[in-house]
Amino acid sequence: MDDQAKGLRELVERKREKNSKFISVASGKGGVGKTNFSVNFAYTLANDFNKKVLLIDADIGMANIHILLNIDTKKNIKNLFYGKSIEEVIVSSNGFDVILGFSGIDSMEEMDDISISMLISQLETISYKYDYIIIDTGAGIDTKVASFLRASNRSYIITTPEPTALMDAYALIKSIYNMYGYKNFKIVINMAKNKDEAISSFNKLKMSANKFLDIDLDILGFLPNTKNIKKCVTRKEIISKTFPQDPFSLEMKKICALEVQEEIEEAGNFWKKVFNFLGQKR
Ligand SMILES: Nc1ncnc2c1ncn2[C@@H]1O[C@H](COP(=O)(O)OP(=O)(O)OP(=O)(O)O)[C@@H](O)[C@H]1O
Ligand SMILES: [Mg+2]
């Protein structure tokens, strides 16, 4: 038992050295820009802010980060459940590390809730190596998405100004709050026509969350609609790399500048358990 406690204490000390942030990227409605956000956020933190970043494609069964990064999926998250260690499935691309996902309905069944918990625990063991661990999730709310969100220090909810997307973003926030009392959300309004539309969309969401859930939502940023994104998706390029002066890339830099200034508010659930466990052993 002493050895176990010592091992855990060492793990905690290593974690403190890096103080890595777990950030989940989620949305209610699909196709609102989560994956483009996640890839450009990872790229900008790594290349413009010199951060050590791990990006995870956790859109179970519908993975597509490998398409945007133009890399094959031979090594992917599923290998973890066939005896590979987490280090063995990590690939490097564009200055950051990535754990790729997989596609297909059969694979979805293999990735049950126990596998997700196992993945989250394995991530904790390598988290000391990273400043940021960014998890791109699938659209909507299921137990897998909920597990990632509740284990994260912060969850970024991406939405467009469309009323349906706003409604679904609200429904996602409400579900996670009702299930776990989790409140660490930040909102990104993507593809707004202009700043006014973005601000009024955010205010609608903020007012509902205030009134009905007692959550004070923060905005992370407004990302403009830009033709260069489609160009980059088609060419399998990263807009922040190919068009660093595009308004999208400039806004992404602002978001990252704000992000790196923020202290971590709270250790993840796992670490609380570790601290409690160590406390009991003393
Ligand atoms: N700021 C933007 N300006 C213009 N087009 C955008 C912008 N953000 C995303 N898109 C377009 O929207 C589409 C969906 O983007 P993306 O794949 O990132 O969404 P998603 O939320 O990850 O989707 P899914 O729910 O299927 O995982 C992409 O084809 C992309 O070209
Ligand atoms: Mg996606």
Side-chain angles (χ1 to χ4, degrees), residues 34-35 59 64 136-137:
K34 292 178 295 300
T35 302
D59 189 353
N64 51 25
D136 178 26
T137 69

Side-chain angles (χ1 to χ4, degrees), residues 30-36 59 139 190-191 224-226 229-230 233 248:
V32 295
K34 292 178 295 300
T35 302
N36 274 282
D59 189 353
N190 189 26
M191 294 190 251
N225 201 330
T226 169
I229 288 236
K230 284 213 164 53
V233 172
F248 180 99

Side-chain angles (χ1 to χ4, degrees), residues 68-132:
L68 294 186
L69 295 177
N70 201 14
I71 37 184
D72 78 39
T73 53
K74 226 171 15 217
K75 283 184 182 181
N76 71 54
I77 215 167
K78 206 163 66 162
N79 301 140
L80 279 181
F81 311 113
Y82 295 97
K84 293 262 188 256
S85 73
I86 194 144
E87 276 95 348
E88 284 175 290
V89 301
I90 291 174
V91 294
S92 289
S93 170
N94 290 283
F96 56 94
D97 285 354
V98 194
I99 297 180
L100 296 169
F102 53 82
S103 299
I105 193 143
D106 295 347
S107 324
M108 277 164 82
E109 280 150 23
E110 289 171 56
M111 197 83 179
D112 58 15
D113 296 345
I114 296 168
S115 315
I116 301 280
S117 307
M118 196 178 110
L119 166 67
I120 291 171
S121 309
Q122 289 209 37
L123 284 175
E124 302 281 7
T125 67
I126 56 157
S127 65
Y128 70 94
K129 294 183 184 175
Y130 296 99
D131 297 302
Y132 286 91

Side-chain angles (χ1 to χ4, degrees), residues 115-250:
S115 315
I116 301 280
S117 307
M118 196 178 110
L119 166 67
I120 291 171
S121 309
Q122 289 209 37
L123 284 175
E124 302 281 7
T125 67
I126 56 157
S127 65
Y128 70 94
K129 294 183 184 175
Y130 296 99
D131 297 302
Y132 286 91
I133 296 181
I134 301 162
I135 303 168
D136 178 26
T137 69
I141 171 80
D142 61 21
T143 52
K144 295 177 186 66
V145 172
S147 303
F148 288 119
L149 266 58
R150 69 185 289 224
S152 300
N153 301 103
R154 271 204 283 283
S155 294
Y156 292 167
I157 308 297
I158 317 290
T159 178
T160 64
E162 266 183 52
T164 46
L166 288 169
M167 187 65 228
D168 293 352
Y170 175 77
L172 173 64
I173 292 168
K174 183 179 169 187
S175 307
I176 302 291
Y177 175 63
N178 285 343
M179 275 194 280
Y180 308 111
Y182 183 95
K183 287 185 174 190
N184 300 335
F185 301 104
K186 280 187 185 266
I187 308 299
V188 176
I189 307 285
N190 189 26
M191 294 190 251
K193 283 201 285 292
N194 52 48
K195 202 119 193 171
D196 285 350
E197 189 188 40
I199 291 169
S200 106
S201 306
F202 171 65
N203 284 339
K204 281 181 204 152
L205 204 50
K206 187 177 171 76
M207 268 165 53
S208 305
N210 244 323
K211 191 166 168 193
F212 302 112
L213 306 177
D214 195 26
I215 299 181
D216 192 18
L217 286 179
D218 269 345
I219 183 84
L220 181 69
F222 306 123
L223 289 168
N225 201 330
T226 169
K227 288 199 178 95
N228 281 333
I229 288 236
K230 284 213 164 53
K231 223 181 262 176
C232 286
V233 172
T234 312
R235 293 193 208 154
K236 301 182 178 173
E237 289 173 358
I238 302 174
I239 182 169
S240 295
K241 182 178 185 181
T242 308
F243 298 106
Q245 294 309 314
D246 185 279
F248 180 99
S249 311
L250 296 176

Side-chain angles (χ1 to χ4, degrees), residues 4-21:
Q4 197 184 359
K6 190 166 167 261
L8 283 168
R9 200 171 288 127
E10 278 169 11
L11 212 54
V12 172
E13 292 304 328
R14 282 194 302 185
K15 163 84 181 177
R16 278 187 187 148
E17 270 170 36
K18 249 327 192 200
N19 211 10
S20 58
K21 294 183 188 176

